[in-house]
Amino acid sequence: MDDFGPGTRAVEEHLCSVCTKQGKTTPATTWCSVCDVVFCEGCLQLHNMMPGLCDHEVAHLSDHTKTKVKRRFMCKIHRDEKVKLFCKDCKQAICTICCSIKHRTCKDVDTIEGMTPLVKEQLTSKIEKLGINIAAANNIITQRNSKIQDVKSNSQTLKDQVIKTRETVMRAILRKEKKLLGDIDKATDKQLHELQADIKSKEIELQLYQQQYEFTANAVTSNCEVDMYAVYESVDETSTNNRDTDNRPAAGRVVLTHDLDKLSKAVDELQLGEVQVVTDVSDPESSPVLHHIIDCKEDGDGKDPWLIDVTVLTVDDIKVTVVTDCSNKRLKTYYTSNFKSFDNQLLLCDGPWQIAKLSDSQIAVSVPGSKEIVAVNVTPGPVLLSTIKTSKKYWALACLSPSQLAAGTYKQSHSVDILDMTGRRLRSINTGVIGNPDHIHVTRNNNLIVSERVVKSLVCVTSEGDAVFTYTLTGDRALTQPRGITTTSTGDILLVDRDSNKVIQLTKSGQFVRDVLTQQDGLKGPRGVSLDGDGLLYVTSDRYVKIFKFYRR
């Protein structure tokens, strides 16, 4: 075995090991490969005079340099004996004495020379494996560090959402406060107006009383019979009746009526949100829990909705669910803002099929019946941007790049056409057993995954058409009618199998993992599937979109 010479510490310091123990700092000049000790010239002479040490191999030290020396492979038990054998039974390098004493019953003993190539080969293989493990560990550490940043960023985002929700609630409370204060001012102003009008009336009445009082008093004090009888005959007796009390009802009092217990209970029950740890659907230990249901049946629909595809966009911090309703020729959007639910529709000239996400707020939708692809801006309501006329009917549609679309043909020599954003065909791709794709999904590395219900298969190819895998099983695992496709953050594939009412999870290489959702989870005739940024899974089921969260069991 080859090994480097003296230890790093000794070489760096270049001090004699023996002198160092005596408190001296004598420079070392040589190194004994057996003792693994550095010596000065004087201590080396003593070393070489010792009977058991004189035949040790000694190397000279060069300045700031380690000299590679063939070290003698000596027995750890019999230190003067060279290791010449290897006991395969005990997996131990031994000398001849060890072999004759402790290993005499062992059956498989080889020479060191015969074993060294095998040992070196195995160690070389181990180095390669360790290199792979090191690279994998570094990759995992990098991913975990990235995940830490994501977790911190997500935490701040969630806190901002809580603050925003609180501000929304506070605005609602302030609106109610403003209304109550306005009602109080309105009622008070009305009361004050009535009281001031009453005072004005009484002041006029008081002036009349004072005039009558003076006129009557002057007539009485004048002792003139003419004046007295003139006043007496003109005065209405009812006008002189004593009015100590006002028989009209007293002005009302403004009061505020509220149920403090009910208000306190409402505040206690108020939920700004709920903190949950949601796992990724690709985690085999996760289980689905139904989170929400969107009913896509609208008042203007002439037929029951036939939902083909679903996708989720985030527009101005609002999560928007977009679905294609083929039977009603509509593109529908659903979202919630300020605790209110909204839905919008875009009527098309024929039934829409698959949705291709172009950006955070823009999508392209295939309309095969009219040989069109429509570009739509989600604001969050759907707004038609443009209509692309195509030479063929395209059902399946996906975004390959910002300037290219992958579109599934029907009964053509090639099953997928690559189009530019004007609908012009750039090239075509053959997808093996699939001739008429129902759905297309583009992975993060730009591979195309296509499904077709007729051949009951799922095929993955590169963007140049090179085969990656084909998923076609028989027996219990056989596909019945493969439809919508999406991929998880880890690259796993989620495939809708319509007739079996399932969503199936596959590895990125097309190996079966598990049934993620089944009929027991409430699926009925699923077709479209999508994942949002929070890990929620959206699946069309009959006329509904069912949204699932995933938790560790």
Side-chain angles (χ1 to χ4, degrees), residues 86 91 115-129:
F86 185 84
K91 293 185 178 180
M115 277 296 298
T116 298
L118 179 60
V119 170
K120 195 167 186 177
E121 180 183 348
Q122 291 182 356
L123 291 179
T124 302
S125 176
K126 186 174 182 179
I127 288 171
E128 292 177 356
K129 291 179 180 178

Side-chain angles (χ1 to χ4, degrees), residues 64-80:
H64 296 90
T65 308
K66 284 201 286 186
T67 306
K68 190 173 182 182
V69 181
K70 181 81 172 180
R71 295 183 61 184
R72 298 177 66 187
F73 195 8
M74 307 302 290
C75 179
K76 295 179 181 178
I77 299 175
H78 309 97
R79 298 183 64 85
D80 294 331

Side-chain angles (χ1 to χ4, degrees), residues 5 8 34 51 55 66 123-124 144 155 164-165 206 216-217 219 244 253 287 318 320 402 422 424 470 503 530 552:
T8 305
V34 179
D55 61 341
K66 284 201 286 186
L123 291 179
T124 302
R144 295 295 184 270
S155 175
K164 186 176 180 180
T165 303
L206 175 62
T216 305
D244 292 335
R253 178 180 178 82
S287 297
I318 298 174
V320 185
T422 65
R424 182 171 62 92
T470 297
V503 175
S530 182
R552 273 290 188 100

Side-chain angles (χ1 to χ4, degrees), residues 19-31:
C19 293
T20 301
K21 292 181 179 179
Q22 297 175 356
K24 302 176 184 179
T25 56
T26 309
T29 58
T30 53
W31 167 66

Side-chain angles (χ1 to χ4, degrees), residues 162-264:
V162 171
I163 294 172
K164 186 176 180 180
T165 303
R166 184 257 297 165
E167 291 173 347
T168 301
V169 172
M170 288 301 299
R171 285 195 294 270
I173 293 175
L174 289 174
R175 284 196 300 269
K176 291 180 178 295
E177 177 191 56
K178 184 177 180 180
K179 183 179 183 303
L180 280 175
L181 294 177
D183 290 345
I184 291 173
D185 288 341
K186 185 177 180 180
T188 302
D189 289 344
K190 181 180 179 181
Q191 226 180 4
L192 292 175
H193 179 74
E194 291 176 351
L195 289 171
Q196 288 169 354
D198 191 40
I199 290 172
K200 187 74 174 178
S201 173
K202 291 300 179 183
E203 287 176 345
I204 294 173
E205 189 176 338
L206 175 62
Q207 290 178 357
L208 292 175
Y209 288 155
Q210 288 176 341
Q211 290 175 0
Q212 289 181 4
Y213 177 84
E214 292 175 0
F215 185 62
T216 305
N218 290 333
V220 170
T221 55
S222 67
N223 289 323
C224 176
E225 292 178 346
V226 175
D227 292 341
M228 286 191 294
Y229 277 93
V231 172
Y232 182 76
E233 291 174 355
S234 65
V235 173
D236 184 3
E237 188 173 349
T238 59
S239 65
T240 59
N241 286 342
N242 188 9
R243 294 191 179 185
D244 292 335
T245 59
D246 190 348
N247 292 328
R248 287 179 299 174
R253 178 180 178 82
V254 178
V255 296
L256 175 64
T257 303
H258 52 227
D259 189 334
L260 287 178
D261 290 338
K262 185 177 181 180
L263 181 61
S264 178

Side-chain angles (χ1 to χ4, degrees), residues 485-540:
I485 312 159
T486 191
T487 49
T488 70
S489 59
T490 60
D492 282 0
I493 301 166
L494 299 180
L495 170 67
V496 172
D497 194 23
R498 182 182 178 276
D499 287 355
S500 65
N501 296 306
K502 290 181 179 180
V503 175
I504 301 168
Q505 179 183 351
L506 308 176
T507 65
K508 62 179 69 176
S509 60
Q511 301 298 313
F512 178 83
V513 178
R514 62 169 177 159
D515 293 330
V516 174
L517 296 172
T518 66
Q519 193 169 2
Q520 292 180 343
D521 297 302
L523 293 192
K524 182 181 179 182
R527 289 185 179 87
V529 63
S530 182
L531 278 168
D532 70 10
D534 296 324
L536 300 181
L537 182 63
Y538 296 66
V539 186
T540 64

